[in-house]
Amino acid sequence: MQALPANARKHWLAVGFPSLDSDPPADAQPIASLLRQLDAELPSEAPLVVLATTQFDGADARLPILSRSVDWRIVAGAPPSTPMVTALAAPRLQIRSDSAHRTQAGYLHAASRAWQAPAEFTASSAACPNNQQIVLVWFVSDSLPTTLLEWVAHGGTVILDSSHALPQSRHPVSLWQNAAGIDLLQAIAYGKGRLLRFTRPLQPAQMAELLNAEFPQHLHDALQAPGVAPIPADARTYRPQTGANAYPQAPYSLQPWLALVLALVFLSERWLATGRRGEQA
């Protein structure tokens, strides 16, 4: 690996930026927010090096955009297993649909009646459900509002129709497949919650399973599947981009540093935390 800058200070990329000599934080960290914080607080001339394992937890769905270029280096190691997200207690659907998706949404409403828990139809607004046990169905042409994404990040669950894409930085898992092994419903973890997406329109010509008497049970089982573990981001595609405006210079304890080296927190082999640290510094 290319040598690190001379006199560089080494810290975990974690809240409070603890020294790399300390134990790494046990939880996923808000990587993009921390990078933006450093971008704002470091002097503009200070080099910033980030050592990232090929996969790591704590990434946002969008790539961070900074005012400076980051020396983004990928090193060996992998994130440890992360606790599973809690499974839903019971499917309780709240359906928000527009006229273009009303017929598709009707299949989910019919399934909920078969569960003896009829879904609630509401306007296609950005208001958050008042209960995180509710499964929000967003069958609306407009993108999912930021307020609802934040609701998901805090533990909510949203089902999207096939016209919407899941964040590309995450790899979905299959919750339901047809007899040919083709995914019908996929999911990703998003913060503490889940984003689910049907892979095809809910139309019999596109999804024959809708006419199957077992459709309500299959959907019920898919929603009751074990929680989706947070899917690590791929460091090869998460390299921060430039283009943000430079921040006003402010006094900060990091200003006299010649360079700052940060390690993403989930390095299972604790790269740089043993003798290898001295070899690379």
Side-chain angles (χ1 to χ4, degrees):
M1 172 179 284
Q2 181 182 355
L4 298 176
N7 301 322
R9 301 196 179 187
K10 307 178 184 71
H11 292 253
W12 292 109
L13 185 53
V15 174
F17 307 109
S19 169
L20 202 62
D21 293 323
S22 62
D23 291 332
D27 300 324
Q29 299 293 308
I31 300 302
S33 295
L34 292 170
L35 287 172
R36 286 191 289 268
Q37 178 183 343
L38 280 171
D39 191 38
E41 296 177 343
L42 278 174
S44 58
E45 68 275 7
L48 180 58
V49 181
V50 177
L51 308 176
T53 50
T54 303
Q55 292 186 325
F56 59 90
D57 291 337
D60 291 349
R62 298 178 178 87
L63 293 177
I65 300 178
L66 309 179
S67 66
R68 74 186 65 221
S69 177
V70 175
D71 186 351
W72 185 265
R73 306 185 189 183
I74 300 175
V75 299
S81 59
T82 309
M84 299 291 280
V85 177
T86 304
L88 296 172
R92 295 176 53 197
L93 303 185
Q94 185 179 107
I95 298 175
R96 301 184 187 180
S97 65
D98 54 20
S99 57
H101 295 83
R102 195 63 49 82
T103 301
Q104 294 187 53
Y107 287 101
L108 301 184
H109 187 241
S112 71
R113 291 201 305 269
W115 306 333
Q116 298 183 350
E120 174 189 1
F121 273 97
T122 63
S124 56
S125 71
C128 297
N130 57 12
N131 188 333
Q132 288 187 331
Q133 294 301 318
I134 290 173
V135 178
L136 178 62
V137 177
W138 185 260
F139 274 34
V140 180
S141 299
D142 294 337
S143 300
L144 190 68
T146 301
T147 53
L148 290 176
L149 269 177
E150 293 174 351
W151 177 76
V152 174
H154 286 87
T157 298
V158 168
I159 302 178
L160 303 171
D161 69 89
S162 60
S163 67
H164 298 289
L166 295 172
Q168 295 182 355
S169 60
R170 313 292 175 89
H171 298 287
V173 297
S174 177
L175 296 184
W176 181 14
Q177 296 180 339
N178 63 14
I182 298 173
D183 288 351
L184 299 178
L185 184 64
Q186 297 177 331
I188 63 168
Y190 191 91
K192 296 180 180 179
R194 302 193 302 174
L195 283 173
L196 282 63
R197 173 184 176 269
F198 282 100
T199 62
R200 55 189 61 194
L202 269 61
Q203 301 166 353
Q206 302 290 332
M207 187 173 168
E209 290 76 13
L210 294 170
L211 303 180
N212 192 312
E214 283 76 40
F215 170 72
Q217 187 61 47
H218 285 313
L219 180 61
H220 180 280
D221 292 346
L223 294 179
Q224 296 286 29
V228 183
I231 306 299
D234 189 330
R236 294 166 296 185
T237 60
Y238 199 76
R239 188 183 305 273
Q241 299 177 327
T242 57
N245 293 329
Y247 295 88
Q249 194 70 57
Y252 189 70
S253 61
L254 297 181
Q255 283 201 5
W257 296 11
L258 297 178
L260 180 66
V261 175
L262 295 156
L264 291 183
V265 65
F266 285 128
L267 304 182
S268 61
E269 299 176 3
R270 296 216 46 204
W271 194 88
L272 285 180
T274 61
R276 296 177 67 179
R277 183 189 303 132
E279 296 173 6
Q280 303 295 338

